Amino acid sequence: MREPAGRRLGLEMEMAVVRRDSGASHAAERYPETLAGIKRSRGEDIRLSYLHDRAVCASGPLGDSGFDNGYNLLETAFAPVMGGPGGLDRLDAAMQTELRDVRDALAAEDATVLNAAEHPAATLDNDRYLRIRIPRPIYTELVGHRGWLHRAGIDAKAQNSPCTAVPVEDAVRALNVMLALAPAFIALFANSPLQDGRATGLKENRLMLWDRVFRHARFAADHRLQQLPALPFRDLGDYFRWMFAGDTVSRALPLAVDDDYKGAVSVYLDGHPSLDRFLHAREWRGRRADNGQSVLLRPHSGYFEYSQFAHFLDARFRYRLRTRPPLEDLLHAWKRPGGIEALFVRAGLEGYIEGRAPGAVFPDRQLRAEAGASVAGRAPMAASAMQLGLLRDLATAEALVREWGWPSLRGMRQAAIRAALDDRRVRALAADVLAAASAGLDASERPWLAYADYVLASGQTAADRLLALWTATPGGVDDKLREVCAWRSLRLGDE
């Protein structure tokens, strides 16, 4: 019997860090160590990870808590919880514990989390970027080799990424639904109308990031891989061909195939082949990113699994294989319709949809005053509930995609970024998507949609509230930031 969507639930939660007194962007100093101490005081087994002798992550029963691209942006990747009845409650319990721990750890250096999907007034200049960027080896490739403008995201651009397990047979159906309906998520969770101390004219400026990062990339296909294709994916083979074949250029591959993709010793393949070309070769020469030494890499199915992060759409299919199939079997399956799905079933795949469209939203003083403590407290879970409801009833969600039309939905993404619910058609889509998501949830789960329901009914997104506060506050940028911090810093139920 096929397992239902949402058998397991996870979340990748990003958080912008600011000074409590001024609201200025803050590069955290000892956050992982302080957080580890808080968690260890409860008896949790916590392991610290280091880069260049500095702690960057604390890992334990709740998941991995550390930094994203810079010391001013935190990320917690929660360990999956069991789905089904009570699944959203279990995920929320983990999240609430984590937010309390994050709040207390940051308080030790007079900092806090800001309810924004991008810091309102942090500079993007290169000197600051180099000071606060996490020294991960992968950034050498992205900036120095591929020419990405990685610093365009150094002002704490934060997303709230629900992770919903799906059976492999439904993976592409689920992915297509989340990609097509992304404008509704963008609009309902818009929370970044400001950049560098100025109004951008956009409700979700955060999502302009990928166009800016890749616009002048060395390899043209890198820019294309953050744009929704003209047609839905037919199956996983089609999805992986879009990502790995044609004019695409393989990302640097690890010297050891089982290395973590952010910390691996990377190898740049000579001649810049696609991953598809590399996998069909007997061997391929390349050079190590760390010392320039020439090496030979032999194709392996593990490189296929390793490269699954090679695009930046509004949703990804992420997976892990219990057993890696022989490369010959993988390449043969890739040629057949549905072949990858059948192969992955035999390989014992665990896969999920990672939603990347929702901006980070947290409870704060402003939202609690306007919508009430219950709505505010449920805000961080609303995107997870929406995604679960849609994926639990794929037939209804797919009917909604057909009704609106893939080309029309593809064109609405920019309208959602620009105007959110102020765009009449985007608001109508958001209403349809929210209704479909609600229908896919049990009665006991629907209260988790409270924040999305409130935003739709009021027409006021987090971006609208932030922009109104910024505009109404007299004085310069520093004055506005202090007021924003007073009203928009994290406020939990125990405060």
Side-chain angles (χ1 to χ4, degrees), residues 98-116:
E98 180 72 359
L99 284 176
R100 287 192 294 271
D101 291 350
V102 170
R103 176 198 61 189
D104 295 346
L106 289 177
E109 48 190 281
D110 201 27
T112 187
V113 170
L114 188 69
N115 178 22

Side-chain angles (χ1 to χ4, degrees), residues 375-416:
V375 168
R378 294 178 185 273
M381 282 293 297
S384 292
M386 278 184 65
Q387 181 164 298
L388 175 62
L390 291 171
L391 298 186
R392 194 181 275 166
D393 186 358
L394 272 178
T396 297
E398 288 173 320
L400 191 57
V401 172
R402 287 192 299 272
E403 178 184 342
W404 280 87
W406 184 274
S408 176
L409 292 167
R410 187 172 186 257
M412 289 175 68
R413 183 179 188 271
Q414 197 60 35

Side-chain angles (χ1 to χ4, degrees), residues 176-200:
N176 284 335
V177 160
M178 294 310 302
L179 291 173
L181 301 180
F185 285 79
I186 293 169
L188 289 168
F189 300 99
N191 199 12
S192 56
L194 304 160
Q195 180 174 296
D196 199 17
R198 295 185 293 273
T200 63

